[in-house]
Amino acid sequence: MSGVPTGSSGDLENKDILSYVALGDSFTEGMSDPYPDSDSVPNGRYRGWADRVAEHLADHVSEVRYANLAVRGRLIAQIRDEQVPRAVEMSPDLITLCAGGNDIIRPGSDPDKVVEIFESMIAELRSTGARVVIFTGFDTNWQPVMRHLRGKIATYNMHMRSVADRYGCDVVDVWSMRILDDQRAWNWDRLHLSSEGHRRLALRVCEVLDLPVDDDWNRPWPPPEPRGWRSARQEDLHWAREFLVPWIGRRLTGRSSGDGVSPKRPELQRCERYRPGD
């Protein structure tokens, strides 16, 4: 497409003031990674990999202004309509976008159709001159209930990579992060990253952005604690009762976990390094 930049927009560390906008759904909102000092997670105190990346940038740039427009449960068309225009208005230096996952896991969804919306978003965001980072979907092979989605996710991933190539976007290849196959990378709902999962993903994003980090996102997990068959089945039953059944209920009734939820950082605000519990 004419008029669309074809390369990333340079070294982020060389800027005196850096603006960063994160777009997406629960993955980018930060579920389920509460701040250690949070008494009220529902009031917007989720942290997540995007907050962690912004905080890391704040250690290397004189001033970082950060907005996070992501809202849990959002479908890709909602992200296009609600978040992309606002991001374009902000005209940031850096944009991260993860979208389409909630569409792909729905029965009957078509990755070919979803990526058409995705490409329209990328074209609009890259036309601002911002550096845009996108994310592949996770490999669900480790999760028996969602293993059947691997083919659709892989198809969508390849489409997104093609779009990234055409528009000069950076890609965080989450699919290949085998370290996330461990259940300790995930919250009990098996759909959102744990705090440690978010921390490792933030390190990987910083690596893609060529930012120095002091830890390895791919560091092997310590040996797991032994777990018996009965304990594992009890966990499966708890998960089905507390997460799977309500999730199916929302799908059948057209409701979303994000109904009534607003972005946690709707404006570009100065980001400070968060120290406790890093």
Side-chain angles (χ1 to χ4, degrees):
M1 265 179 90
S2 60
V4 176
T6 57
S8 62
S9 53
D11 186 353
L12 301 176
E13 289 185 278
N14 286 336
K15 295 181 179 295
D16 292 326
I17 299 176
L18 173 71
S19 54
Y20 165 36
V21 177
L23 310 178
D25 50 33
S26 59
F27 173 76
T28 303
E29 184 185 346
M31 295 174 69
S32 296
D33 179 25
Y35 278 89
D37 60 357
S38 173
D39 294 325
S40 182
V41 169
N43 289 336
R45 290 295 294 169
Y46 282 118
R47 190 183 188 187
W49 64 265
D51 283 21
R52 293 171 182 268
V53 169
E55 294 156 11
H56 190 79
L57 283 165
D59 268 356
H60 298 276
V61 179
S62 298
E63 181 177 339
V64 174
R65 297 172 182 170
Y66 168 52
N68 189 317
L69 307 182
V71 175
R72 68 198 72 169
R74 288 300 190 259
L75 299 173
I76 193 167
Q78 294 173 309
I79 296 171
R80 175 197 62 196
D81 296 342
E82 299 170 6
Q83 300 178 26
V84 170
R86 183 69 186 118
V88 170
E89 289 177 6
M90 293 180 183
S91 190
D93 302 298
L94 172 67
I95 297 171
T96 56
L97 171 65
C98 183
N102 288 323
D103 300 81
I104 294 300
I105 64 176
R106 292 192 170 208
S109 62
D110 183 352
D112 296 342
K113 298 296 184 182
V114 177
V115 82
E116 290 177 4
I117 300 176
F118 180 81
E119 180 164 6
S120 70
M121 297 160 67
I122 292 297
E124 190 168 359
L125 295 171
R126 285 291 284 141
S127 69
T128 68
R131 181 174 182 177
V132 176
V133 180
I134 70 167
F135 298 75
T136 68
F138 294 96
D139 185 353
T140 58
N141 189 46
W142 70 277
Q143 169 55 280
V145 176
M146 301 183 71
R147 188 175 293 150
H148 68 285
L149 295 171
R150 290 187 82 206
K152 287 175 66 176
I153 297 171
T155 300
Y156 187 51
N157 285 348
M158 294 307 295
H159 280 320
M160 286 194 294
R161 281 191 167 277
S162 295
V163 172
D165 287 345
R166 284 197 292 276
Y167 291 87
C169 301
D170 296 290
V171 179
V172 178
D173 186 6
V174 182
W175 179 281
S176 69
M177 292 178 68
R178 299 270 68 92
I179 200 72
L180 299 181
D181 291 350
D182 192 288
Q183 65 177 4
R184 287 168 288 185
W186 297 88
N187 183 44
W188 69 269
D189 66 10
R190 306 181 185 181
L191 189 61
H192 299 106
L193 291 171
S194 65
S195 291
E196 178 61 13
H198 277 286
R199 190 187 74 85
R200 287 175 181 258
L201 182 60
L203 289 170
R204 177 70 182 111
V205 176
C206 289
E207 185 177 82
V208 169
L209 293 174
D210 295 322
L211 295 171
V213 293
D214 56 7
D215 198 1
D216 180 9
W217 61 267
N218 204 28
R219 183 186 302 277
W221 295 92
E225 296 181 4
R227 192 167 60 118
W229 180 89
R230 183 180 298 275
S231 174
R233 298 295 73 76
Q234 287 176 338
E235 289 181 12
D236 289 341
L237 289 172
H238 176 73
W239 171 77
R241 182 177 64 251
E242 299 296 329
F243 175 75
L244 182 60
V245 172
W247 184 84
I248 293 173
R250 289 196 300 271
R251 300 286 82 73
L252 293 175
T253 58
R255 292 177 292 120
S256 168
S257 59
D259 290 345
V261 178
S262 301
K264 63 180 181 180
R265 292 180 67 105
E267 306 291 339
L268 284 170
Q269 297 175 332
R270 182 163 185 153
C271 178
E272 305 292 346
R273 178 68 169 168
Y274 182 81
R275 297 295 177 184
D278 268 5

Short mmCIF file of all heavy atoms in Angstrom, two decimals, residues 119-151:
data_model
loop_
_atom_site.label_atom_id
_atom_site.label_comp_id
_atom_site.label_asym_id
_atom_site.label_seq_id
_atom_site.Cartn_x
_atom_site.Cartn_y
_atom_site.Cartn_z
N GLU A 119 -5.50 -6.65 9.18
CA GLU A 119 -4.67 -5.89 8.23
C GLU A 119 -5.14 -4.44 8.13
O GLU A 119 -4.31 -3.52 8.03
CB GLU A 119 -4.67 -6.54 6.86
CG GLU A 119 -3.82 -5.78 5.85
CD GLU A 119 -3.47 -6.57 4.61
OE1 GLU A 119 -3.99 -7.69 4.44
OE2 GLU A 119 -2.67 -6.07 3.80
N SER A 120 -6.45 -4.21 8.17
CA SER A 120 -6.94 -2.83 8.09
C SER A 120 -6.45 -2.02 9.29
O SER A 120 -6.14 -0.83 9.17
CB SER A 120 -8.47 -2.82 8.02
OG SER A 120 -9.06 -3.21 9.25
N MET A 121 -6.37 -2.67 10.45
CA MET A 121 -5.87 -2.00 11.65
C MET A 121 -4.39 -1.67 11.51
O MET A 121 -3.95 -0.55 11.84
CB MET A 121 -6.09 -2.89 12.87
CG MET A 121 -7.55 -3.17 13.17
SD MET A 121 -7.79 -4.63 14.20
CE MET A 121 -7.08 -4.11 15.74
N ILE A 122 -3.61 -2.63 11.03
CA ILE A 122 -2.18 -2.42 10.87
C ILE A 122 -1.90 -1.29 9.88
O ILE A 122 -1.03 -0.43 10.11
CB ILE A 122 -1.49 -3.72 10.42
CG1 ILE A 122 -1.54 -4.77 11.53
CG2 ILE A 122 -0.05 -3.45 10.00
CD1 ILE A 122 -0.81 -4.38 12.79
N ALA A 123 -2.64 -1.27 8.77
CA ALA A 123 -2.44 -0.22 7.78
C ALA A 123 -2.67 1.15 8.39
O ALA A 123 -1.90 2.10 8.17
CB ALA A 123 -3.38 -0.44 6.59
N GLU A 124 -3.71 1.28 9.20
CA GLU A 124 -4.03 2.56 9.82
C GLU A 124 -2.99 2.95 10.86
O GLU A 124 -2.55 4.11 10.93
CB GLU A 124 -5.42 2.50 10.45
CG GLU A 124 -5.94 3.85 10.90
CD GLU A 124 -7.41 3.83 11.26
OE1 GLU A 124 -8.05 2.76 11.13
OE2 GLU A 124 -7.93 4.88 11.68
N LEU A 125 -2.57 1.99 11.67
CA LEU A 125 -1.59 2.28 12.72
C LEU A 125 -0.22 2.61 12.13
O LEU A 125 0.45 3.54 12.59
CB LEU A 125 -1.49 1.10 13.68
CG LEU A 125 -2.74 0.79 14.50
CD1 LEU A 125 -2.58 -0.54 15.25
CD2 LEU A 125 -3.04 1.93 15.47
N ARG A 126 0.20 1.87 11.12
CA ARG A 126 1.53 2.13 10.54
C ARG A 126 1.56 3.43 9.74
O ARG A 126 2.62 4.04 9.57
CB ARG A 126 1.93 0.96 9.65
CG ARG A 126 2.37 -0.27 10.42
CD ARG A 126 3.70 -0.03 11.14
NE ARG A 126 4.83 -0.08 10.23
CZ ARG A 126 5.89 0.72 10.28
NH1 ARG A 126 5.95 1.67 11.21
NH2 ARG A 126 6.87 0.60 9.42
N SER A 127 0.40 3.88 9.26
CA SER A 127 0.38 5.14 8.51
C SER A 127 0.74 6.33 9.39
O SER A 127 1.08 7.40 8.89
CB SER A 127 -1.00 5.35 7.88
OG SER A 127 -1.98 5.61 8.87
N THR A 128 0.69 6.16 10.71
CA THR A 128 1.08 7.24 11.63
C THR A 128 2.60 7.35 11.76
O THR A 128 3.09 8.32 12.34
CB THR A 128 0.49 7.00 13.03
OG1 THR A 128 1.12 5.84 13.62
CG2 THR A 128 -1.01 6.78 12.97
N GLY A 129 3.32 6.34 11.29
CA GLY A 129 4.78 6.32 11.46
C GLY A 129 5.23 5.62 12.71
O GLY A 129 6.43 5.52 12.98
N ALA A 130 4.28 5.13 13.53
CA ALA A 130 4.64 4.45 14.78
C ALA A 130 5.31 3.11 14.48
O ALA A 130 5.04 2.46 13.47
CB ALA A 130 3.39 4.22 15.62
N ARG A 131 6.17 2.70 15.38
CA ARG A 131 6.70 1.34 15.36
C ARG A 131 5.62 0.43 15.95
O ARG A 131 5.14 0.68 17.05
CB ARG A 131 7.98 1.25 16.18
CG ARG A 131 8.63 -0.13 16.18
CD ARG A 131 9.97 -0.10 16.89
NE ARG A 131 10.62 -1.40 16.86
CZ ARG A 131 11.84 -1.64 17.36
NH1 ARG A 131 12.52 -0.65 17.92
NH2 ARG A 131 12.37 -2.84 17.30
N VAL A 132 5.24 -0.60 15.22
CA VAL A 132 4.15 -1.47 15.63
C VAL A 132 4.67 -2.88 15.89
O VAL A 132 5.39 -3.45 15.06
CB VAL A 132 3.03 -1.51 14.57
CG1 VAL A 132 1.93 -2.51 14.98
CG2 VAL A 132 2.43 -0.12 14.37
N VAL A 133 4.33 -3.41 17.04
CA VAL A 133 4.72 -4.76 17.44
C VAL A 133 3.45 -5.60 17.54
O VAL A 133 2.49 -5.22 18.20
CB VAL A 133 5.44 -4.75 18.80
CG1 VAL A 133 5.85 -6.17 19.20
CG2 VAL A 133 6.66 -3.84 18.76
N ILE A 134 3.46 -6.77 16.88
CA ILE A 134 2.31 -7.67 16.96
C ILE A 134 2.74 -9.00 17.59
O ILE A 134 3.94 -9.27 17.75
CB ILE A 134 1.70 -7.93 15.56
CG1 ILE A 134 2.64 -8.78 14.70
CG2 ILE A 134 1.37 -6.61 14.88
CD1 ILE A 134 2.00 -9.33 13.46
N PHE A 135 1.75 -9.82 17.93
CA PHE A 135 2.00 -11.07 18.64
C PHE A 135 1.30 -12.22 17.94
O PHE A 135 0.12 -12.12 17.59
CB PHE A 135 1.45 -10.97 20.08
CG PHE A 135 2.11 -9.91 20.90
CD1 PHE A 135 1.80 -8.57 20.70
CD2 PHE A 135 3.04 -10.25 21.87
CE1 PHE A 135 2.42 -7.58 21.45
CE2 PHE A 135 3.66 -9.27 22.63
CZ PHE A 135 3.36 -7.93 22.41
N THR A 136 2.02 -13.32 17.77
CA THR A 136 1.35 -14.52 17.29
C THR A 136 0.50 -15.11 18.42
O THR A 136 0.66 -14.75 19.59
CB THR A 136 2.36 -15.60 16.84
OG1 THR A 136 3.08 -16.09 17.99
CG2 THR A 136 3.33 -15.04 15.82
N GLY A 137 -0.38 -16.05 18.07
CA GLY A 137 -1.14 -16.75 19.08
C GLY A 137 -0.30 -17.82 19.74
O GLY A 137 0.72 -18.27 19.22
N PHE A 138 -0.74 -18.24 20.93
CA PHE A 138 -0.07 -19.31 21.66
C PHE A 138 -0.31 -20.65 20.98
O PHE A 138 -1.34 -20.87 20.34
CB PHE A 138 -0.61 -19.40 23.09
CG PHE A 138 -0.30 -18.22 23.95
CD1 PHE A 138 -1.22 -17.19 24.10
CD2 PHE A 138 0.90 -18.13 24.62
CE1 PHE A 138 -0.94 -16.09 24.90
CE2 PHE A 138 1.19 -17.04 25.43
CZ PHE A 138 0.26 -16.03 25.57
N ASP A 139 0.63 -21.56 21.16
CA ASP A 139 0.42 -22.96 20.79
C ASP A 139 -0.36 -23.62 21.92
O ASP A 139 0.12 -23.69 23.06
CB ASP A 139 1.77 -23.65 20.59
CG ASP A 139 1.62 -25.08 20.09
OD1 ASP A 139 0.48 -25.59 20.01
OD2 ASP A 139 2.66 -25.70 19.78
N THR A 140 -1.55 -24.11 21.62
CA THR A 140 -2.42 -24.70 22.65
C THR A 140 -2.22 -26.20 22.80
O THR A 140 -3.05 -26.87 23.42
CB THR A 140 -3.89 -24.41 22.32
OG1 THR A 140 -4.20 -24.94 21.02
CG2 THR A 140 -4.17 -22.92 22.34
N ASN A 141 -1.14 -26.73 22.27
CA ASN A 141 -0.93 -28.17 22.32
C ASN A 141 -0.85 -28.72 23.74
O ASN A 141 -1.19 -29.87 24.01
CB ASN A 141 0.35 -28.55 21.56
CG ASN A 141 0.50 -30.05 21.39
OD1 ASN A 141 -0.44 -30.74 21.02
ND2 ASN A 141 1.70 -30.56 21.66
N TRP A 142 -0.41 -27.88 24.69
CA TRP A 142 -0.27 -28.32 26.09
C TRP A 142 -1.61 -28.38 26.80
O TRP A 142 -1.72 -28.99 27.86
CB TRP A 142 0.65 -27.35 26.84
CG TRP A 142 0.02 -26.01 27.05
CD1 TRP A 142 -0.03 -24.96 26.18
CD2 TRP A 142 -0.71 -25.58 28.21
NE1 TRP A 142 -0.73 -23.92 26.70
CE2 TRP A 142 -1.15 -24.27 27.97
CE3 TRP A 142 -1.01 -26.17 29.43
CZ2 TRP A 142 -1.90 -23.53 28.87
CZ3 TRP A 142 -1.75 -25.44 30.35
CH2 TRP A 142 -2.18 -24.14 30.08
N GLN A 143 -2.64 -27.77 26.23
CA GLN A 143 -3.95 -27.65 26.88
C GLN A 143 -4.95 -28.59 26.19
O GLN A 143 -5.43 -28.28 25.10
CB GLN A 143 -4.40 -26.20 26.80
CG GLN A 143 -5.86 -25.92 27.19
CD GLN A 143 -6.22 -26.42 28.56
OE1 GLN A 143 -6.49 -27.60 28.72
NE2 GLN A 143 -6.23 -25.53 29.52
N PRO A 144 -5.28 -29.73 26.80
CA PRO A 144 -6.14 -30.71 26.14
C PRO A 144 -7.47 -30.15 25.65
O PRO A 144 -7.93 -30.49 24.55
CB PRO A 144 -6.35 -31.77 27.23
CG PRO A 144 -5.16 -31.65 28.11
CD PRO A 144 -4.80 -30.20 28.11
N VAL A 145 -8.11 -29.26 26.42
CA VAL A 145 -9.42 -28.75 26.03
C VAL A 145 -9.34 -27.86 24.79
O VAL A 145 -10.29 -27.77 24.01
CB VAL A 145 -10.05 -27.99 27.21
CG1 VAL A 145 -11.39 -27.36 26.82
CG2 VAL A 145 -10.27 -28.93 28.39
N MET A 146 -8.20 -27.20 24.57
CA MET A 146 -8.07 -26.26 23.46
C MET A 146 -7.12 -26.74 22.38
O MET A 146 -6.82 -26.00 21.44
CB MET A 146 -7.62 -24.89 23.99
CG MET A 146 -8.56 -24.29 25.02
SD MET A 146 -8.06 -22.64 25.58
CE MET A 146 -8.39 -21.68 24.12
N ARG A 147 -6.67 -27.98 22.49
CA ARG A 147 -5.70 -28.50 21.52
C ARG A 147 -6.27 -28.52 20.10
O ARG A 147 -5.53 -28.33 19.12
CB ARG A 147 -5.28 -29.91 21.94
CG ARG A 147 -4.12 -30.49 21.13
CD ARG A 147 -3.71 -31.83 21.73
NE ARG A 147 -3.13 -31.65 23.05
CZ ARG A 147 -3.20 -32.57 24.03
NH1 ARG A 147 -3.86 -33.71 23.83
NH2 ARG A 147 -2.63 -32.33 25.19
N HIS A 148 -7.58 -28.70 19.99
CA HIS A 148 -8.19 -28.79 18.66
C HIS A 148 -8.14 -27.46 17.90
O HIS A 148 -8.40 -27.42 16.69
CB HIS A 148 -9.65 -29.23 18.78
CG HIS A 148 -10.54 -28.22 19.44
ND1 HIS A 148 -10.52 -27.98 20.80
CD2 HIS A 148 -11.46 -27.36 18.92
CE1 HIS A 148 -11.40 -27.04 21.09
NE2 HIS A 148 -11.98 -26.65 19.97
N LEU A 149 -7.79 -26.36 18.60
CA LEU A 149 -7.72 -25.05 17.96
C LEU A 149 -6.37 -24.77 17.30
O LEU A 149 -6.21 -23.72 16.66
CB LEU A 149 -8.00 -23.95 19.00
CG LEU A 149 -9.40 -23.94 19.61
CD1 LEU A 149 -9.44 -22.96 20.77
CD2 LEU A 149 -10.44 -23.58 18.57
N ARG A 150 -5.42 -25.67 17.44
CA ARG A 150 -4.06 -25.41 16.94
C ARG A 150 -4.04 -25.04 15.46
O ARG A 150 -3.32 -24.13 15.04
CB ARG A 150 -3.16 -26.62 17.15
CG ARG A 150 -2.79 -26.92 18.58
CD ARG A 150 -1.77 -28.04 18.64
NE ARG A 150 -0.42 -27.54 18.41
CZ ARG A 150 0.57 -28.29 17.93
NH1 ARG A 150 0.34 -29.55 17.58
NH2 ARG A 150 1.78 -27.78 17.77
N GLY A 151 -4.83 -25.75 14.66
CA GLY A 151 -4.83 -25.49 13.22
C GLY A 151 -5.30 -24.08 12.88
O GLY A 151 -4.68 -23.38 12.06
#
